[in-house]
C-alpha cells in the first residue's frame, strides 16, 4: 500500500527543513521586532520632544529678541524725533512689517512701515481694547493672530514706553510681526518620519500646519488612539507646538525594515528549501529504494539486490536488507516445503483438526473434520458436538488440555464415537489465544477393543473350561448320588421319613445352587457388555475375580491383603477381567506349586488413588521383554497357553478407568503388577 | 571537488542576490521628483539658485530632483512654445521664475487643459493679474511668492523722496502694455498725489523713450523704475543715462544698484527663490497649490550704492539710511 503523500519521508524531511529554516527566523524576527518596537517608540518620543522644543525655542527666542529691542527703544526719550532708531530696528528684524508709536489711548501717533507709506491718519486706532487693558498691567502684550490686507498672518506686539517723563511721551511702542516665516518654517519642517507639526495659538486656532487644509481651523483633539502627540507650550504666547504622528507612521521604519526582512527571509527560505529538497532527495532516495524493495517483499515478490550506492549507515542498511531478503527467501522456501508437507499430512490424516480461539470460534478446520461433522469456519466449537448455543458443560476452557470421548451422529446419521482432545497452542498471541482441537473417530477402535476383550474373555474361559467342568461335575455327581439314593430309598422304604427326604433334597438344592453360581459367574464373565460407568467396589471385584478362578488355580497360594478403599468409577466386569488376567499370569509364572500370589489393595489419600498390587514369586520376566508385554499378541507362554492379548487388553481397560497399569519384574524373583485407579 | 565548487558558487550567488536585493530596495526608497522650470532669461537663474539652496536647507537631496529648465534666452516670444513643451513633459510641479512666465503658463494650461501645480517665484500682483482668487487660499493651480514690487512702488517713491529731500521731480519708467508695470504706475500716481510729489511717466516701449528722458533730465530730478521684465533688461542703460545726467535712480534689485542705480528697495531674486522653496516642498509633500497661501517676501532689502552717492555728491537722509545696506564693489552677496 502506498503511503499518503504527507506521510512520505521525503515530504517529511522537506517540511522539517522548511520549518527549521522558517521557525527560527520567525521567532528571532518577532523577538527583534518587539525589542526594536519598544526601543523605537522611546527614541521617537524623545526625538519628537527634542524637535518641537527646538522649534518652540526658536519662536520664543525671536519673540524675546523682538521684545528686548522694543524695550530698548521704549527707554529712548522723544522717540518720534529719533526715527533713525526705528529704521535701524526694522533692519534688525525682517519679519517686522511696521513699528508704531502709540499715545496713551492706544491711538496711532506715528509709523515706520516696510511696505506702506508712513503717513498715518492721526488718532486712528491700532490696538484692540483688550491689548490696551493688558498694557496697564504687563510690559509685554501679544495680540491675536490676524490677517493683513494681503491675507498674510500677522501679530501685534506692544510694550509701554518707559521714559522718566512718561506723561509727556507716547504711551507705547508697537510692532506688526509677519508670521509667515514662522508658519513657513514649521510647515515645511522636514520630519524624518511621516507626521505633522503644527502650531496652535491661544484661541486653539491652527496657525501653522504641514497640511495646509488644516490651516486656520480649530484644533480638535484627535480621536484616534493610534496617534502619538508631543506637545510643548510657548509660554509667553500661550501657543502650543504639536508634533502629531500616527503609530503606524512612527513605526513605519520598523515596518519597512520588517518588509525588507521578510523579503530577505523569503529568499533565504527559498534557498534553504532548495537545500532541503536536495538533502531530502539525497538522504531519502536510498530509503525509498529500500521502501520499494520492502513493498515488493511484502507482496511476496523477491526484489533484486538493492544497489549499494552509499558507504554510510544507509549503505549498511541496504547491505542488511539484501542479507535479510536472502534469508527470508530461503526461510520462506523452507516454510513452503514444511507447509506442503504439513498440508499433505493434515489433509490425509484420518483425524479431524480444528483451531479455535479464546472466544470458542473455530478459525480453521481440516478437510477430514469438515467431512465428518460438516464444520465450517466461524462457528463456535460447541456447535460441533453439543449442538447447542452455549458452551458444553465441563468445558475446561482454552488454556487447559482436554481429552474426552463423545458420541455424535455423522452427516450420514451414523452414530460414531469420537475422541475429542484439545491442546492449547503456546505460540498464539495473547489477544487471540488459540487451541488445537484433535478429533479422532475411534468407533472402529472401540469395536476392536470390545472384540479383543471378548476374545480375551473367551480365551480365559477356554483355559478355565476344565476346572469349570470339574467344579460343576462334583455337585452334579453329588446331586446324582443323592437323587439315585433317594429314589432307591423311596422304593425300598415306603415309610421313609419326610425329614430324611428333606435332607436329601436340601443337599440336592445346595449343589444345584452351587452349579448355578458357577455357571452364573461364567455367564457373567463371558457376557459381552457395553462399558457401563458405575461405582465399583474394588475389594469386592477382587474377591469375585478370585472366586471365579480359584478352581483353576492348581498351584501356588493366593493371599489377600485387602484394606478398606473408596469406590472407583468404571465398569466392574472389565476390572474383573483385568484381575483375572493378571492373577492367571501370576499363576502361570509360579513353578510347581511353590509360589505365592499376594493381592493387596490400598488407598493413597494424597493422590486420591486406589492402588491394587498383584505380586507373585514366579519366574519373573526378562528385562528386555518387559517393554514388550503390553504389545498385542506378545506372549511368553507356550502355544495354547495364551493369546497374547491379555496385558494389552488390560492396559486399555485400566486406561479407560483413567488409571495406569505398570509392571516391574526381576528374572527369577517374581513380578509386581501395579494398578492405579483414580477415585471420583 | 566539482560538488564543492558548485556549492561555493551557489552560496556566493545567493549572497550576491541578497545584497543586490537589499541595494535595489534602498534605491526604490529614494523618491525622485521632476520639477519643470520656466524662465525668460539667464538673469532669473539666481532665483533658481535660491530655490535650490532653500530646498537643501529643507532637507532635500538635489540629486534626487530632476529640474527640466526651459529658458527663453531673453526672447519672450519663445515662452509660449517652451511652456507647451514643459506641460507635455508632465513634471510633478512647475516653477515659473517671474510674472510673464506665470502668465504664459496660465494661458497655455487653459489652452490644452493640462493643469500642473505651479509655484511662481517673485511675481508682482498675482491677485491683480487674476492668477489667484485670494492670497490666503489661492484656489487655483498657482501659488508662490508675491514679491510685492507692484504695491511696494508707492513705498519706494516715498523712500526716494525722503532720501533725497531736495529732489523736485521724479521720472517714473514703466513698460506700457505690461500689466504689472501699468498697475504699478497707477499706485505711484496715487502715492504721489498723497505726498504731493511731481512725477513724470516714461513709457519704455515708446520709441526713443530713454533718449527723450535723457534730454529732459535736469539737476534735482530723479528716476524711479517700475516692475517690468523689460525695464529690468535695460537696467544698465538707465544707470548709465542717470550717471551721465547726474541724477539719482531708485530701482528694485541689487543688480540694478550694482549696475549704477543709487538705491534699490525690494525683494532680491535669490531670496525669492529661497522662500519659494517652501511652497515647492509643501506641494511635493502632498499639499494642493490652491491651499497654500501666497506669501509676501520674507525680506525687503534696501541697498545704497555708496560710490554712486559720492559720484552724485548727494547727502541722503540719515534716518532712513539706518535701514540700508551699503553696496560697494566687491561686496556682492
Amino acid at each position: 500500500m502506498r503511503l499518503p503523500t504527507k506521510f512520505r519521508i521525503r515530504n517529511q524531511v522537506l517540511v522539517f527543513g522548511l520549518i527549521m529554516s522558517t521557525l527560527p527566523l520567525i521567532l528571532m524576527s518577532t523577538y527583534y521586532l518587539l525589542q526594536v518596537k519598544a526601543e523605537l517608540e522611546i527614541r521617537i518620543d524623545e526625538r519628537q520632544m527634542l524637535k518641537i522644543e527646538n522649534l518652540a525655542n526658536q519662536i520664543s527666542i525671536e519673540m524675546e529678541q523682538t521684545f528686548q529691542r522694543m524695550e530698548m527703544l521704549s527707554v529712548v526719550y522723544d522717540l518720534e524725533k529719533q526715527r533713525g532708531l526705528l529704521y535701524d530696528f526694522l533692519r534688525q528684524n525682517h519679519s517686522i512689517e511696521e513699528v508704531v508709536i502709540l499715545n496713551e489711548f492706544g491711538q496711532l501717533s506715528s509709523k515706520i512701515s516696510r511696505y506702506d507709506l508712513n503717513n498715518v491718519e492721526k488718532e486712528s486706532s491700532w490696538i484692540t481694547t483688550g491689548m490696551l487693558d493688558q498694557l496697564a498691567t504687563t510690559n509685554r502684550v501679544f495680540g491675536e493672530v490676524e490677517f493683513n490686507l494681503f491675507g498674510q498672518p500677522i501679530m501685534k506686539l506692544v510694550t509701554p514706553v518707559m521714559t522718566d517723563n512718561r506723561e509727556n511721551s507716547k504711551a507705547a511702542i508697537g510692532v506688526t510681526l509677519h508670521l509667515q516665516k514662522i508658519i513657513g518654517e514649521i510647515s515645511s519642517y522636514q520630519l524624518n518620519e511621516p507626521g505633522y507639526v503644527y502650531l496652535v495659538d491661544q484661541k486653539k486656532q491652527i496657525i501653522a500646519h504641514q497640511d495646509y487644509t488644516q490651516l486656520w481651523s480649530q484644533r480638535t483633539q484627535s480621536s484616534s488612539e493610534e496617534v502619538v502627540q508631543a506637545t510643548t507650550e510657548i509660554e509667553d504666547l500661550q501657543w502650543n507646538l504639536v508634533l502629531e504622528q500616527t503609530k503606524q507612521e512612527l513605526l513605519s521604519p520598523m515596518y519597512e525594515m520588517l518588509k525588507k526582512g521578510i523579503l530577505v527571509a523569503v529568499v533565504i527560505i527559498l534557498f534553504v528549501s532548495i537545500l532541503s529538497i536536495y538533502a531530502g532527495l539525497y538522504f531519502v532516495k536510498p530509503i525509498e529504494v529500500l521502501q520499494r524493495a520492502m513493498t515488493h517483499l511484502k507482496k511476496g515478490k523477491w526484489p533484486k539486490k538493492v544497489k549499494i550506492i552509499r558507504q554510510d549507515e544507509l549503505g549498511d542498511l541496504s547491505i542488511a536488507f539484501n542479507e535479510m531478503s536472502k534469508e527470508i527467501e530461503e526461510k520462506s522456501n523452507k516454510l513452503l516445503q514444511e507447509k506442503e508437507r504439513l498440508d499433505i499430512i493434515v489433509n490425509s490424516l484420518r483425524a479431524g483438526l480444528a483451531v479455535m480461539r479464546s472466544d470458542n470460534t473455530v478459525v480453521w478446520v481440516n478437510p477430514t473434520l469438515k467431512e465428518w461433522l460438516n464444520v465450517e469456519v466461524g462457528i463456535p466449537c460447541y456447535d460441533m458436538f453439543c449442538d447447542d448455543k452455549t458452551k458444553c458443560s465441563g468445558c475446561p476452557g482454552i488454556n487447559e488440555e482436554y481429552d474426552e470421548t463423545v458420541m455424535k451422529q455423522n452427516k450420514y446419521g451414523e452414530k460414531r464415537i469420537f475422541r475429542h482432545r484439545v491442546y492449547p497452542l503456546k505460540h498464539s498471541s495473547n489477544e487471540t489465544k488459540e487451541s488445537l482441537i484433535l478429533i479422532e473417530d475411534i468407533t472402529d477402535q472401540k469395536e476392536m477393543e470390545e472384540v479383543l476383550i471378548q476374545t480375551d474373555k473367551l480365551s480365559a474361559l477356554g483355559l478355565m473350561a476344565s476346572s469349570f467342568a470339574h467344579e460343576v461335575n462334583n455337585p452334579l455327581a453329588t446331586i446324582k448320588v443323592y437323587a439315585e439314593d433317594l429314589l432307591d430309598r423311596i422304593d425300598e422304604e415306603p415309610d421313609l421319613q419326610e425329614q430324611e427326604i428333606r435332607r436329601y433334597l436340601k443337599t440336592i438344592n445346595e449343589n444345584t445352587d452351587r452349579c448355578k453360581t458357577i455357571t452364573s459367574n461364567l455367564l457373567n464373565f463371558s457376557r459381552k457388555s457395553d462399558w457401563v460407568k458405575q461405582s465399583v467396589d474394588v475389594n469386592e471385584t477382587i474377591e469375585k475375580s478370585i472366586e471365579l478362578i480359584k478352581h483353576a488355580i492348581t498351584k501356588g497360594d493366593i493371599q489377600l491383603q485387602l484394606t478398606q478403599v473408596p469406590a472407583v468409577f468404571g465398569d466392574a466386569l472389565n476390572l474383573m477381567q483385568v484381575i483375572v488376567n493378571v492373577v492367571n499370569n501370576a499363576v502361570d509364572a509360579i513353578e510347581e506349586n511353590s509360589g505365592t500370589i499376594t493381592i493387596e489393595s490400598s488407598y493413597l489419600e494424597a493422590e486420591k488413588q486406589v492402588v491394587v498390587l498383584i505380586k507373585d514369586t514366579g519366574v519373573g520376566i526378562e528385562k528386555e521383554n518387559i517393554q514388550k508385554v503390553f504389545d498385542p499378541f506378545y506372549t511368553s507362554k507356550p502355544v495354547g497357553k495364551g493369546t497374547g492379548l491379555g496385558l494389552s487388553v488390560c492396559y486399555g481397560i485400566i486406561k479407560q478407568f483413567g488409571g495406569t497399569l505398570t509392571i516391574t519384574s526381576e528374572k527369577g524373583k517374581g513380578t509386581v503388577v501395579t494398578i492405579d485407579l483414580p477415585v471420583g | 571537488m566539482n560538488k564543492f565548487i558548485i556549492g561555493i558558487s551557489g552560496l556566493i550567488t545567493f549572497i550576491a542576490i541578497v545584497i543586490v536585493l537589499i541595494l535595489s530596495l534602498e534605491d526604490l526608497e529614494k523618491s525622485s521628483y521632476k520639477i519643470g522650470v520656466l524662465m525668460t532669461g539667464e538673469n532669473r537663474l539666481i532665483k533658481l539658485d535660491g530655490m535650490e539652496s532653500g530646498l537643501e536647507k529643507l532637507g532635500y537631496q538635489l540629486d534626487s530632483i530632476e529640474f527640466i529648465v526651459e529658458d527663453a534666452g531673453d526672447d519672450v516670444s519663445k515662452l509660449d512654445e517652451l511652456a507647451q513643451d514643459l506641460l507635455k513633459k508632465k513634471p510633478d510641479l512647475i516653477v515659473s521664475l517671474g510674472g510673464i512666465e506665470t502668465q504664459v503658463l496660465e494661458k497655455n494650461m487653459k489652452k490644452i487643459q493640462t493643469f500642473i501645480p505651479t509655484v511662481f517665484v517673485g511675481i508682482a500682483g498675482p491677485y491683480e493679474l487674476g492668477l489667484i482668487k485670494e492670497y490666503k487660499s489661492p484656489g487655483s493651480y498657482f501659488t508662490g511668492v508675491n514679491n510685492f514690487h507692484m504695491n511696494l512702488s508707492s513705498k519706494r517713491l516715498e523712500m526716494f523722496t525722503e532720501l533725497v529731500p531736495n529732489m523736485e521731480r521724479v521720472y517714473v519708467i514703466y513698460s506700457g502694455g505690461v500689466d504689472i508695470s501699468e498697475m504699478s504706475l497707477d499706485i505711484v500716481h496715487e502715492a504721489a498725489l498723497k505726498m504731493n510729489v511731481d512725477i513724470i511717466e516714461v513709457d519704455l516701449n515708446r520709441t526713443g523713450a530713454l533718449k527723450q528722458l535723457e534730454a529732459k533730465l535736469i539737476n534735482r530730478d530723479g528716476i524711479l523704475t517700475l516692475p517690468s521684465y523689460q525695464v529690468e533688461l535695460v537696467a544698465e542703460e538707465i544707470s548709465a543715462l542717470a550717471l551721465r545726467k547726474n541724477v539719482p535712480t531708485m530701482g528694485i534689485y541689487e543688480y540694478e544698484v550694482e549696475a549704477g542705480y543709487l538705491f534699490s528697495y525690494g525683494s532680491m531674486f535669490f531670496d525669492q527663490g529661497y522662500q519659494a522653496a517652501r511652497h515647492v516642498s509643501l506641494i511635493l509633500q502632498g499639499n494642493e497649490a490652491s491651499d497654500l497661501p501666497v506669501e509676501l517676501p520674507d525680506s525687503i532689502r534696501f541697498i545704497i550704492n555708496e560710490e554712486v552717492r559720492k559720484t552724485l555728491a548727494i547727502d541722503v537722509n540719515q534716518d532712513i539710511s539706518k535701514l540700508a545696506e551699503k553696496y560697494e564693489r566687491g561686496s556682492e552677496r
Side-chain angles (χ1 to χ4, degrees), chain A residues 274-288:
Chain A
I274 291 166
L275 281 183
S276 295
I277 291 167
Y278 176 76
L281 291 174
Y282 179 75
F283 288 113
V284 170
K285 195 176 177 182
I287 297 173
E288 286 187 330

Side-chain angles (χ1 to χ4, degrees), chain A residues 254-310:
Chain A
M254 192 186 68
Y255 294 137
E256 195 60 36
M257 188 185 70
L258 189 66
K259 210 162 67 183
K260 282 183 194 173
I262 288 171
L263 198 61
V264 172
V266 166
V267 174
I268 292 171
I269 287 167
L270 278 174
F271 180 70
V272 174
S273 300
I274 291 166
L275 281 183
S276 295
I277 291 167
Y278 176 76
L281 291 174
Y282 179 75
F283 288 113
V284 170
K285 195 176 177 182
I287 297 173
E288 286 187 330
V289 169
L290 280 173
Q291 190 251 341
R292 278 199 294 275
M294 196 71 85
T295 307
H296 271 74
L297 196 62
K298 229 163 67 178
K299 288 177 181 172
K301 299 172 188 171
W302 301 112
K304 291 178 186 172
K305 272 191 171 183
V306 173
K307 197 176 173 185
I308 313 299
I309 51 174
R310 304 265 286 267

Side-chain angles (χ1 to χ4, degrees), chain A residues 358-375:
Chain A
S358 50
D359 60 354
N360 296 105
T361 308
V362 173
V363 293
W364 175 80
V365 287
N366 74 339
T368 307
L369 188 60
K370 202 178 274 187
E371 188 190 333
W372 285 349
L373 299 176
N374 207 17
V375 174

Side-chain angles (χ1 to χ4, degrees), chain A residues 71-135:
Chain A
E71 282 163 1
M72 283 169 67
L73 283 177
S74 71
V75 298
V76 175
Y77 175 71
D78 202 5
L79 186 59
E80 267 192 286
K81 292 178 181 172
Q82 304 281 339
R83 293 174 71 85
L85 293 176
L86 298 179
Y87 277 111
D88 190 42
F89 179 73
L90 271 185
R91 188 178 57 80
Q92 289 172 355
N93 191 338
H94 287 275
S95 294
I96 292 175
E97 181 183 322
E98 61 184 6
V99 53
V100 298
I101 299 170
L102 305 174
N103 65 19
E104 60 266 42
F105 305 109
Q107 292 169 333
L108 195 60
S109 175
S110 67
K111 169 177 92 170
I112 300 290
S113 172
R114 195 185 295 275
Y115 301 115
D116 292 336
L117 298 177
N118 293 336
N119 63 324
V120 294
E121 293 174 15
K122 291 289 180 185
E123 300 181 353
S124 65
S125 177
W126 189 83
I127 61 171
T128 62
T129 314
M131 288 173 72
L132 199 57
D133 292 343
Q134 284 182 47
L135 202 57

Side-chain angles (χ1 to χ4, degrees), chain A residues 459-510:
Chain A
S459 169
L461 280 171
L463 289 171
M464 291 187 289
S466 60
S467 61
F468 284 144
H470 180 73
E471 186 67 18
V472 172
N473 276 342
N474 283 342
L476 284 176
T478 305
I479 291 166
K480 185 174 175 61
V481 169
Y482 272 74
E484 285 175 352
D485 191 39
L486 185 59
L487 282 173
D488 288 345
R489 287 185 69 179
I490 290 170
D491 291 339
E492 293 170 2
E493 299 172 26
D495 55 348
L496 190 62
Q497 292 295 310
E498 185 185 346
Q499 191 179 358
E500 190 69 13
I501 295 169
R502 196 173 288 277
R503 190 181 60 86
Y504 272 79
L505 288 174
K506 189 182 174 189
T507 302
I508 291 168
N509 191 39
E510 283 174 352

Side-chain angles (χ1 to χ4, degrees), chain A residues 3 5-14 284 287-288:
Chain A
L3 279 171
T5 307
K6 62 179 177 179
F7 293 126
R8 286 185 200 154
I9 195 162
R10 178 194 296 187
N11 298 333
Q12 287 178 22
V13 168
L14 183 59
V284 170
I287 297 173
E288 286 187 330

